Amino acid sequence: MDPAQIEFQAEKEPVEILPNFTEDKICLIGGDVGPFQPQIPTTVPLWLAMNLSQRRKCKILTPDWMKVDFLKDKKVEEGESLLFTTPLHPHYLEFSTIILGSSNDVENADEVRTLIKDIHDMRLAKLRKSIHNMITHDGGSGRPLSHALINNITAMELNTIRKFFTSSLDHLHNLRNHAEVCLSDPRYN
């Protein structure tokens, strides 16, 4: 999937809103939402929350994982762990970018944006390190590793390295095959 498709998937994620209007249940392809009563929390897909928020029909309730205290704790946890920790949300980067980019409902938005970016940067550094270790480490077998298990990675994080990583592995595979042919051929020894 490309980033636009991943963002499209993120827009289907549920978020709580406080509507300022009254409406019965709305039947959508993705499921029913509502009923809507003023100042009574209702869960809707992110895309609908953004639409209603832009029309000043609701206030988006900030998810717990986007609150400053939680993000500070998560940043410390991510920094102390050598492995990937559980992501803030399966679509934390897209979700937060959408909400922070077009809604004024998030308290301390600049600090939230900075903390999420810091966590994302830490996770990408771990991802780069994992790839480097996979390519350069032989696992004690004398041969390079052919696979790796990476848990707790989001689709967008994986997408950031996908094209580079797959083409790099193809080139590395070709080089290793060529090296094996050269080593086994007496003309090259």
Side-chain angles (χ1 to χ4, degrees):
M1 284 194 284
D2 65 25
Q5 291 170 317
I6 296 170
E7 185 175 316
F8 179 75
Q9 291 293 322
E11 290 174 352
K12 296 178 184 178
E13 291 293 316
V15 64
E16 272 199 321
I17 62 168
L18 278 180
N20 58 15
F21 64 97
T22 302
E23 183 70 41
D24 291 332
K25 181 170 59 172
I26 300 172
C27 299
L28 302 171
I29 292 173
D32 299 344
V33 294
F36 299 92
Q37 297 294 322
Q39 301 306 307
I40 297 178
T42 304
T43 302
V44 298
L46 179 59
W47 66 266
L48 181 57
M50 295 310 301
N51 181 285
L52 292 171
S53 176
Q54 288 168 352
R55 294 187 300 145
R56 308 270 193 268
K57 296 284 186 183
C58 75
K59 178 183 187 309
I60 297 174
L61 299 178
T62 305
D64 290 339
W65 62 267
M66 282 184 69
K67 295 190 176 162
V68 172
D69 291 337
F70 183 83
L71 289 170
K72 285 180 179 178
D73 292 343
K74 190 65 173 178
K75 181 179 174 183
V76 169
E77 179 188 355
E78 194 71 52
E80 291 175 348
S81 176
L82 296 175
L83 303 174
F84 290 96
T85 61
T86 305
L88 296 166
H89 180 276
H91 293 284
Y92 77 93
L93 192 60
E94 312 89 294
F95 196 98
S96 62
T97 301
I98 292 168
I99 287 183
L100 292 168
S102 56
S103 173
N104 298 324
D105 296 333
V106 179
E107 284 185 42
N108 304 313
D110 289 334
E111 189 174 5
V112 167
R113 189 178 287 109
T114 301
L115 287 166
I116 289 174
K117 174 80 169 109
D118 291 347
I119 292 167
H120 179 64
D121 290 344
M122 287 177 173
R123 292 176 63 83
L124 286 182
K126 286 181 186 179
L127 190 55
R128 285 190 296 271
K129 184 178 178 183
S130 296
I131 291 167
H132 175 75
N133 289 343
M134 184 187 125
I135 291 172
T136 60
H137 184 67
D138 68 1
S141 68
R143 292 187 48 87
L145 294 176
S146 61
H147 66 280
L149 175 64
I150 301 176
N151 292 331
N152 296 322
I153 189 167
T154 67
M156 188 62 84
E157 292 167 342
L158 188 58
N159 191 65
T160 59
I161 60 145
R162 182 175 48 96
K163 284 185 180 181
F164 166 76
F165 186 55
T166 53
S167 66
S168 296
L169 284 180
D170 287 342
H171 290 300
L172 189 59
H173 176 72
N174 291 337
L175 288 171
R176 287 179 178 157
N177 283 343
H178 183 70
E180 286 179 12
V181 167
C182 290
L183 289 173
S184 65
D185 191 334
R187 294 179 293 171
Y188 297 108
N189 288 328

